[in-house]
């Protein structure tokens, strides 16, 4: 039997993960699932752990769910470790979003100054997790969902040397699903190829005879936010831009291609009282009120209000593809190995890959046009500065990452935002 360990087990997303494992039990025979959390999250852990066990008890499968605050006890002999923790919980995210907005800059979970600070808080914890894994489960796969997912995955693979790591995001799945809907097709009727970075990728879509359907789909990108997760407001794109690229954007591109409109929208929400983080605190509270109900033994519909919907389809399918050597297409964050020639071979990229027992083999995209090459090189350099700053606690490097980030206005204002965030998150930033 397989032993799964989920770090950040108290997350409201855990029922989604259980549903994904239950659906796949026949091909992925799990013996036990360990949900790991810390003191701060212990109340959530207890509630969600009991719901998780009820979900398994409602099936004919004998799977035991353990909850613990002792990470090392859980990691012993694990086969797969999934990470979905948030250092500082949603209160830290509130600061990531509000502080930049107060200075008229974008405040968002994975983009701009907030995303950089989420990396600063997460990287020291990830370092300890990998050190524990080296000792307690040296052959385990690490399936990372913790944001900023691409940056964290690059740190694990390149800096901590844990090669058996795959980074995940639900955005590619949301895009593929909504395109099937737009074209009235079934999954087996379309082919997709993605390339780029986490929350910064483009893709093309084909039919099974190889006909390029990208232009046809571009005509629909402004309709009801095709490909857009629940957490993103989508300003309309000028589609001439996308027709020229002949590429479909990801929802997060709106922050970069439509920066002014997106910022205006976020500032308006901020002035009216609620950033996304604050809204999610309310959603989380009502979700846990439901989870507490001992009559509930399945994932409630309300969880779809969170932006991470369908994430279990990525996580559980990826684990099953490794375990069963499936050799299927998935879009994951993995070592570039030349798939995107204008980025270093050891950079982590988010690309179409074949998932097998050997992990992810990225599919080569080939030469990029200047419009994509330029963006990716800037964004990857910004990610590299962020990681270096997180590892060293070097103030100048943090400022350099800020200066390079297109969503942070350069100048003294950037430094003020940096200083405020350093103080606000001091408790979670031992390296600075
Ligand atoms: P959350 O605030 O509920 O945090 C999840 C749990 O992590 C909490 O119970 C918390 O106590 C715990 N935690 C904090 N520090 C920990 C530590 N050092 N060790 C173990 N557990 C710790 O977060 P959430 O809203 O459920 O999101 C969870 C994570 O998943 C976040 O990092 C979020 O960004 C990420 N996420 C990723 C995607 C994606 O596409 N990759 C989508 C949605 C969410
Ligand atoms: C999205 C993304 C995540 C993101 C999350 C936020 O779809 O892929 O990486 O951070 O959902 O969702 P939330 O509901 O917490 O705002
Ligand atoms: Mn994501
Ligand atoms: Mn900048």
């Amino acid at each position: 039997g397989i032993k799964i360990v989920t770090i950040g087990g108290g997350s409201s997303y855990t029922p989604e993960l259980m549903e994904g494992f239950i659906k796949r039990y026949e091909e992925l025979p799990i013996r036990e699932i360990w949900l790991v959390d810390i003191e701060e999250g212990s109340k959530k852990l207890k509630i969600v752990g009991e719901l998780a066990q009820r979900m398994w008890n409602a099936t004919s499968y004998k799977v035991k769910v353990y909850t613990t605050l002792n990470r090392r006890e859980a990691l012993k002999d694990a086969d797969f470790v999934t990470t979905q923790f948030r250092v500082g919980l949603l209160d830290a995210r509130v600061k990531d979003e509000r502080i930049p907005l107060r200075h008229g800059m974008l405040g968002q979970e994975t983009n701009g100054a907030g995303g950089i600070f989420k990396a600063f808080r997460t990287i020291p914890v990830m370092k300890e997790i990998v050190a524990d894994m080296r000792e307690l489960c040296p052959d385990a796969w690490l399936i990372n969902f913790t944001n900023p997912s691409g940056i964290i995955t690059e740190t694990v693979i390149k800096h901590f040397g844990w090669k058996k790591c795959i980074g995940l995001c639900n955005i590619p799945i949301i895009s593929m699903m909504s395109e099937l809907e737009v074209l009235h097709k079934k999954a087996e009727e379309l082919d997709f190829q993605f390339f780029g970075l986490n929350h910064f990728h483009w893709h093309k879509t084909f039919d099974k005879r190889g006909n390029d359907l990208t232009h046809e789909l571009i005509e629909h990108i402004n309709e009801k936010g095709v490909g857009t997760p629940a957490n993103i407001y989508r300003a309309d794109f000028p589609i001439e831009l996308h027709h020229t690229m002949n590429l479909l954007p990801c929802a997060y591109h709106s922050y970069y291609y439509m920066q002014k409109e997106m910022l205006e929208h976020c500032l308006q929400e901020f002035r009216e009282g609620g950033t996304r983080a604050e809204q999610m605190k309310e959603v989380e509270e009502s979700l846990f009120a439901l989870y507490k109900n001992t009559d509930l033994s399945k994932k409630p519909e309300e969880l779809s209000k969170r932006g991470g919907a369908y994430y279990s389809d990525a996580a559980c399918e990826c684990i099953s593809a490794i375990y069963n050597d499936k050799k299927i297409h998935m879009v994951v964050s993995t070592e570039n190995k030349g798939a995107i020639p204008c980025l270093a071979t050891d950079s982590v990229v988010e690309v179409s890959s074949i998932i097998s027992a050997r992990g992810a083999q990225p599919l080569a995209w080939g030469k990029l046009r200047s419009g994509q090459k330029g963006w990716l090189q800037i964004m990857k350099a910004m990610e590299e500065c962020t990681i270096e700053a997180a590892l060293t606690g070097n103030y100048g490097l943090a400022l350099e990452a800020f200066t390079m980030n297109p969503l942070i206005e350069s100048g003294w204002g950037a430094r003020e935002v940096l200083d405020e965030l350093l103080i606000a998150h001091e408790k979670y930033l031992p390296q600075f």
Side-chain angles (χ1 to χ4, degrees):
I2 301 164
K3 178 175 181 179
I4 307 269
V5 176
T6 297
I7 299 181
S11 163
S12 66
Y13 285 113
T14 295
E16 155 115 18
L17 190 64
M18 289 309 119
E19 186 189 63
F21 285 135
I22 289 169
K23 227 185 341 188
R24 290 170 181 80
Y25 182 83
E26 302 293 343
E27 62 182 59
L28 192 67
I30 291 169
R31 175 170 43 94
E32 51 196 61
I33 299 174
W34 288 70
L35 303 177
V36 183
D37 214 288
I38 52 169
E39 191 54 46
E40 274 173 289
S42 55
K43 274 202 193 122
K44 286 167 58 182
L45 179 68
K46 182 170 187 297
I47 294 168
V48 91
E50 286 172 7
L51 170 59
Q53 186 66 72
R54 288 197 302 277
M55 289 176 73
W56 283 104
N57 292 350
T59 70
S60 55
Y61 312 131
K62 303 260 168 297
V63 173
K64 174 102 178 92
V65 178
Y66 295 86
T67 58
T68 180
L69 305 185
N70 184 341
R71 181 174 71 214
R72 291 177 57 85
E73 171 196 32
L75 286 175
K76 182 103 183 65
D77 301 325
D79 297 296
F80 293 93
V81 177
T82 75
T83 42
Q84 55 173 36
F85 60 92
R86 181 193 298 284
V87 178
L89 294 99
L90 282 169
D91 284 333
R93 177 172 170 191
V94 171
K95 294 172 186 167
D96 283 342
E97 295 185 352
R98 291 188 68 94
I99 291 172
L101 283 165
R102 213 159 51 218
H103 290 261
M105 297 178 207
L106 186 88
Q108 212 276 331
E109 177 174 24
T110 62
N111 290 263
I116 291 176
F117 265 78
K118 195 172 190 321
F120 288 173
R121 295 195 300 281
T122 305
I123 286 172
V125 175
M126 219 23 148
K127 188 174 184 177
E128 292 173 12
I129 292 172
V130 173
D132 283 348
M133 287 178 66
R134 198 162 269 130
E135 201 184 315
L136 299 162
C137 53
D139 294 322
W141 281 94
L142 175 52
I143 308 297
N144 177 56
F145 187 66
T146 299
N147 273 318
S149 180
I151 291 177
I152 301 306
T153 304
E154 172 151 323
T155 309
V156 167
I157 294 177
K158 187 166 138 186
H159 296 274
F160 303 154
W162 196 273
K163 301 288 175 190
K164 290 171 85 173
C165 176
I166 291 178
L168 293 177
C169 175
N170 59 339
I171 300 297
I173 292 179
I174 290 179
S175 294
M176 293 187 279
M177 284 178 45
S178 69
E179 289 174 15
L180 292 173
E181 208 173 290
V182 165
L183 297 173
H184 307 286
K185 297 283 186 200
K186 295 194 199 72
E188 58 276 15
E189 293 176 295
L190 296 182
D191 257 340
F192 303 89
Q193 192 168 0
F194 284 71
F195 74 99
L197 304 177
N198 177 236
H199 292 184
F200 208 100
H201 49 68
W202 299 267
H203 72 278
K204 287 172 77 65
T205 302
F206 304 90
D207 70 15
K208 287 291 177 183
R209 286 183 305 280
N211 296 311
D212 187 349
L213 307 179
T214 308
H215 282 302
E216 188 181 340
L217 283 162
I218 288 170
E219 290 294 321
H220 297 274
I221 56 175
N222 290 329
E223 284 168 20
K224 343 171 228 120
V226 167
T228 305
N231 62 306
I232 303 186
Y233 161 80
R234 259 282 325 280
D236 280 354
F237 287 125
I239 61 170
E240 297 83 353
L241 171 67
H242 303 284
H243 277 307
T244 299
M245 299 191 289
N246 194 19
L247 293 171
L248 287 148
C250 80
Y252 285 90
H253 276 124
S254 32
Y255 292 116
Y256 300 86
Y257 289 151
M258 310 306 295
Q259 189 170 347
K260 186 160 178 277
E261 289 76 7
M262 293 298 283
L263 179 61
E264 274 168 9
H265 174 84
C266 293
L267 282 171
Q268 189 189 330
E269 278 200 331
F270 171 66
R271 281 191 296 264
E272 288 167 7
T275 63
R276 178 76 187 169
E278 287 156 307
Q279 293 164 19
M280 287 311 101
K281 281 189 75 159
E282 283 175 27
V283 169
E284 183 179 81
E285 211 167 292
S286 56
L287 279 171
F288 275 87
L290 288 172
Y291 292 179
K292 263 189 204 159
N293 181 347
T294 51
D295 292 334
L296 183 75
S297 55
K298 63 177 182 39
K299 180 187 89 176
E301 193 40 52
E302 285 80 348
L303 186 52
S304 62
K305 287 188 188 151
R306 297 294 308 262
Y310 306 114
Y311 116 77
S312 72
D313 279 310
C316 304
E317 194 56 27
C318 182
I319 291 173
S320 181
I322 292 171
Y323 181 77
N324 292 302
D325 191 27
K326 277 191 179 175
K327 303 184 174 72
I328 51 166
H329 168 257
M330 284 190 71
V331 184
V332 299
S333 279
T334 187
E335 224 175 2
N336 180 22
K337 295 178 182 161
I340 300 178
C342 67
L343 296 179
T345 51
D346 64 351
S347 284
V348 164
V349 294
E350 192 162 290
V351 291
S352 283
S353 302
I354 300 301
I355 314 295
S356 71
R358 289 190 295 146
Q361 296 299 316
L363 297 174
W365 179 272
K367 194 167 185 281
L368 265 52
R369 297 173 57 250
S370 300
Q372 286 74 56
K373 180 172 150 186
W375 268 117
L376 290 182
Q377 290 181 334
I378 271 280
M379 293 302 283
K380 180 49 76 182
M382 186 278 296
E383 290 187 1
E384 286 171 359
C385 282
T386 299
I387 295 169
E388 285 294 324
L391 291 170
T392 58
N394 183 302
Y395 182 84
L397 275 171
L399 202 49
E400 195 173 22
F402 265 50
T403 309
M404 293 184 72
N405 191 303
L407 305 182
I408 304 174
E409 253 178 58
S410 66
W412 291 102
R415 203 185 132 152
E416 280 171 31
V417 173
L418 174 62
D419 290 343
E420 279 183 40
L421 283 165
L422 281 170
I423 291 166
H425 293 307
E426 196 179 10
K427 180 174 160 199
Y428 302 110
L429 299 172
Q431 74 274 48
F432 280 96

